[in-house]
Amino acid sequence: MNRRKFLAGVGATATGGAVATGTGAFTSVDADRTVSVAVADEETSSYLVLDSLAPGSSENGSFSSNGGGSSGVELELDFNQNIPTSTNSEGGEGPGKNSVYEFDEVFEVENQGTQTVDVGIETLTGSDSDFEDSNGNSPSNTLKMSFYPDSNASSPLETNPVSISPGNAQTVGVKIELGDVAFEPYSAEATVIADADSGQITF
């Protein structure tokens, strides 16, 4: 199982066999090896790409971007922005209280590895202190964000991972459930897991 937060795993393999008699044991070994890890641009060249959708390819692609992270390439979702349209110059500035919003096809996950992987994304909740406001406080009422494939909001990726074969991508939608929360911008970090072993993905 490969979590996006892990950069590399390093292992060693011994080969050959003992041909002499006796125990042949050694007391201590200290061996240096060179390990190289090239951190790839998440938007274009990492093994598992998390990418905003091309302009015009999705009505909801404007909620995602790859340019706002501290590294300049991490995917970010922003549902607090003003989004004026050609039919409404004012635009909206965020989801409202006591509501459930579904945003189909906000971003995509692309498999640039060499084997099919099952991909899941954790569901974020205020009750688990996943969300914080600018003062580090969690919401006092319902705030939940889940991720789903395409437009299938009833199938959250946390409990229903999708299989993505090499070279293919899966579009991802976002469902936001809100109770009587304060009028504040909240932020959180979600974990994406890609598992090539077809095992059960757990968060």
Side-chain angles (χ1 to χ4, degrees):
M1 183 176 295
N2 179 14
R3 296 175 185 262
R4 281 304 310 237
K5 66 180 71 172
F6 297 157
L7 294 180
V10 178
T13 303
T15 59
V19 294
T21 59
T23 62
F26 52 82
T27 302
S28 177
V29 172
D30 186 348
D32 293 329
R33 298 292 185 270
T34 298
V35 177
S36 176
V37 177
V39 179
D41 182 333
E42 182 172 270
E43 183 180 5
T44 58
S45 55
S46 64
Y47 297 130
L48 189 70
V49 172
L50 308 179
D51 194 12
S52 57
L53 295 173
S57 65
S58 168
E59 294 181 353
N60 296 319
S62 62
F63 293 112
S64 66
S65 68
N66 288 84
S70 58
S71 66
V73 294
E74 290 182 348
L75 180 71
E76 289 191 356
L77 307 181
D78 185 357
F79 294 93
N80 302 315
Q81 61 181 324
N82 180 284
I83 49 169
T85 69
S86 59
T87 56
N88 180 3
S89 60
E90 295 298 322
E93 294 186 13
K97 292 184 177 185
N98 301 308
S99 305
V100 177
Y101 287 78
E102 295 174 4
F103 302 89
D104 295 344
E105 299 181 337
V106 175
F107 65 98
E108 69 178 2
V109 179
E110 182 179 357
N111 179 6
Q112 294 194 151
T114 59
Q115 54 190 329
T116 297
V117 292
D118 292 333
V119 175
I121 305 177
E122 72 172 317
T123 295
L124 303 170
T125 64
S127 58
D128 289 335
S129 299
D130 292 326
F131 288 95
E132 291 184 348
D133 62 18
S134 58
N135 294 316
N137 299 317
S138 296
S140 58
N141 208 302
T142 302
L143 175 52
K144 181 179 179 181
M145 180 182 289
S146 56
F147 303 87
Y148 55 89
D150 300 322
S151 57
N152 189 5
S154 63
S155 184
L157 290 172
E158 178 175 86
T159 53
N160 301 282
V162 294
S163 293
I164 307 176
S165 57
N168 289 306
Q170 172 68 58
T171 58
V172 177
V174 180
K175 181 177 181 178
I176 301 176
E177 301 173 60
L178 290 150
D180 189 21
V181 298
F183 292 114
E184 295 282 351
Y186 295 95
S187 61
E189 290 185 356
T191 299
V192 180
I193 295 178
D195 183 5
D197 296 327
S198 299
Q200 179 64 42
I201 292 178
T202 57
F203 290 89

